[in-house]
Amino acid sequence: MLILGIETSCDETAVALVRDGRLLGEELATQVDTHALFGGVVPEIASREHLRVLPRLYRELMRGTGVDAGDLDGVAVARGPGLLGSLLVGVSFAKGLSLASGVPLIGVNHLWAHLLAPGLEGELEFPALGLLVSGGHTHTYLIQSPTEFTLLGRTLDDAAGEAFDKTAKMLNFPYPGGRYIDELAREAEPDTGMFPRPYIENPTLDFSFSGLKTAVAHYVADHPELVFETMADPQAVADLPAERRASLARVCASFNWSVADTLRIKVERALKQVGKVKSLIVAGGVAANTGVREAMRSVAEGNGLRLTLPGLSLCTDNGAMIAHAGWLLAEAGYRHGLELEAIPRGRIVPLDWERASERA
Ligand code: KG4
Ligand code: ZN
């Protein structure tokens, strides 16, 4: 089965082809440099960029792999959650292809696609506990199979990635700053008393990261010498004088520890609640974080679970994960009609598939 995947939910335009669960080819264009000028994603610019580059990426992918639209068994598209205007570009493109070539359309939940992405690199074991930590979401799920996800906990305010990015902004790192915090954090030991581990005393499985952001804001206000004016340029991070770099590294390590340990505590709690699972799957941009990866390794080890972590390029948004999730759905007989809706952030993605077998 040959599936095309299209991803336009935020600031990466990406397409990929997956044949029987194996990646055949992919193209990706990131808008990160454009949005960095504004210190965050500008939705209007994001949609226009997707519209501009998506047809070119599609042509390059098809030319590079020698695939023709008529060869496809499905067109999978990230239908949400994400920025509505951006999603509409990918969804409309996918509908056009489906209509023109008669290939079934498959709407993919972007969050599920993140968690299923490691399936491209190895076997997934179910039931699994899933932790999705991205720029827009912090969710835990019980995953019974590639089509059965039960949401257990979610963030009530900022996502983990957002906490990284907002902290990085306060320290004047380039946008998006998660990876700079990670880089410096590796150079120091954390001061575990510097920042709180937000919301851990709350007995639910939900997260709340806005308190941590406030704690960082207070710390930065008390230590103005930490912040450099020129740090918006990535080169300035590389050129930081040693002493300044060391004090910033300590702040980054302490912040990173607070986030990673909060995730560890809530995942441990989720595992107790759901009972027996076989694996722990961690995905999303923040799954690239060294401290988070280490914390999850220790949770998996302590609970006798297999840990499934995607390779770094599969952590952030990409087309391969959409094509792969689309393939799993297609294999299970799921598809959508041309009335498929795009779902903005904050709304639950409905389970509104049609079963191929139920179609007249
Ligand atoms: O999954 P993703 O690419 O996009 C969304 O769907 O949101 O995640 C992007 C997020 C950003 O907040 C970025 O700062 C964060 O992932 N990120 C990291 C690291 N690499 C990316 N956060 C912490 N440490 C990293 N190494
Ligand atoms: Zn994502």
Side-chain angles (χ1 to χ4, degrees):
M1 211 179 235
L2 180 62
I3 307 289
L4 169 72
I6 302 174
E7 160 61 40
T8 63
S9 68
C10 189
D11 57 350
E12 259 93 34
T13 319
V15 287
L17 284 165
V18 162
R19 173 174 279 143
D20 298 330
R22 310 270 311 251
L23 183 64
L24 202 66
E26 63 179 328
E27 297 290 336
L28 184 143
T30 180
Q31 306 171 6
V32 136
D33 291 344
T34 308
H35 299 294
L37 301 171
F38 303 93
V41 177
V42 184
E44 175 73 19
I45 295 176
S47 334
R48 286 168 186 241
E49 276 298 292
H50 289 308
L51 193 61
R52 194 174 68 78
V53 307
L54 180 57
R56 173 173 60 76
L57 294 185
Y58 169 73
R59 272 197 303 272
E60 284 171 8
L61 176 71
M62 301 303 258
R63 199 180 303 135
T65 52
V67 169
D68 187 77
D71 304 332
L72 297 171
D73 297 299
V75 180
V77 60
R79 51 93 58 112
L83 300 172
L84 190 56
S86 292
L87 290 166
L88 287 173
V89 175
V91 169
S92 304
F93 193 89
K95 286 184 180 182
L97 267 178
S98 171
L99 193 60
S101 55
V103 177
L105 178 69
I106 306 150
V108 170
N109 181 327
H110 176 91
L111 308 178
W112 291 20
H114 268 299
L115 286 159
L116 296 170
L120 278 166
E121 299 170 327
E123 191 100 352
L124 298 174
E125 276 189 65
F126 301 109
L129 189 89
L131 171 68
L132 189 266
V133 269
S134 70
H137 298 88
T138 309
H139 284 181
T140 46
Y141 291 96
L142 172 61
I143 312 173
Q144 296 283 9
S145 79
T147 56
E148 292 168 281
F149 283 58
T150 308
L151 183 64
L152 300 170
R154 69 197 162 89
T155 184
L156 302 176
D157 39 56
D158 292 351
E162 223 171 334
F164 271 100
D165 293 340
K166 287 179 177 170
T167 294
K169 200 169 185 173
M170 286 186 252
L171 296 172
N172 212 3
F173 285 118
Y175 172 86
R179 70 183 180 89
Y180 297 96
I181 293 190
D182 188 6
E183 190 182 312
L184 266 77
R186 277 181 250 141
E187 298 171 15
E189 285 302 313
D191 172 351
T192 56
M194 192 181 283
F195 299 119
R197 288 170 295 174
Y199 219 56
I200 52 168
E201 71 292 342
N202 178 290
T204 70
L205 299 181
D206 290 333
F207 302 90
S208 165
F209 286 104
S210 65
L212 180 57
K213 176 184 66 186
T214 310
V216 175
H218 287 308
Y219 189 89
V220 170
D222 290 344
H223 300 82
E225 73 284 357
L226 279 174
V227 183
F228 275 76
E229 273 172 34
T230 52
M231 289 260 287
D233 171 12
Q235 190 54 41
V237 184
D239 294 343
L240 270 171
E243 205 178 306
R244 286 283 181 89
R245 189 173 176 99
S247 43
L248 259 179
R250 194 156 171 77
V251 175
C252 291
S254 306
F255 170 82
N256 211 335
W257 178 84
S258 286
V259 176
D261 209 53
T262 301
L263 294 174
R264 181 190 63 76
I265 289 167
K266 292 278 172 161
V267 167
E268 290 275 11
R269 202 174 285 168
L271 282 169
K272 283 205 179 68
Q273 186 171 310
V274 298
K276 191 104 194 81
V277 292
K278 288 189 180 151
S279 68
L280 171 61
I281 306 177
V282 187
V286 181
N289 182 270
T290 317
V292 171
R293 290 174 95 87
E294 270 166 24
M296 292 306 133
R297 233 170 251 130
S298 88
V299 173
E301 247 174 61
N303 289 276
L305 301 177
R306 175 163 149 199
L307 177 65
T308 305
L309 274 168
L312 295 187
S313 66
L314 266 186
C315 285
T316 44
D317 290 350
N318 62 85
M321 68 182 195
I322 304 299
H324 173 255
W327 169 70
L328 289 168
L329 289 168
E331 282 276 305
Y334 292 112
R335 58 194 284 173
H336 282 100
L338 286 176
E339 62 284 354
L340 174 72
E341 255 190 295
I343 307 296
R345 271 187 198 167
R347 255 181 67 194
I348 301 286
V349 177
L351 306 176
D352 54 0
W353 304 293
E354 302 168 355
R355 294 299 295 266
S357 55
E358 289 162 7
R359 247 176 122 87

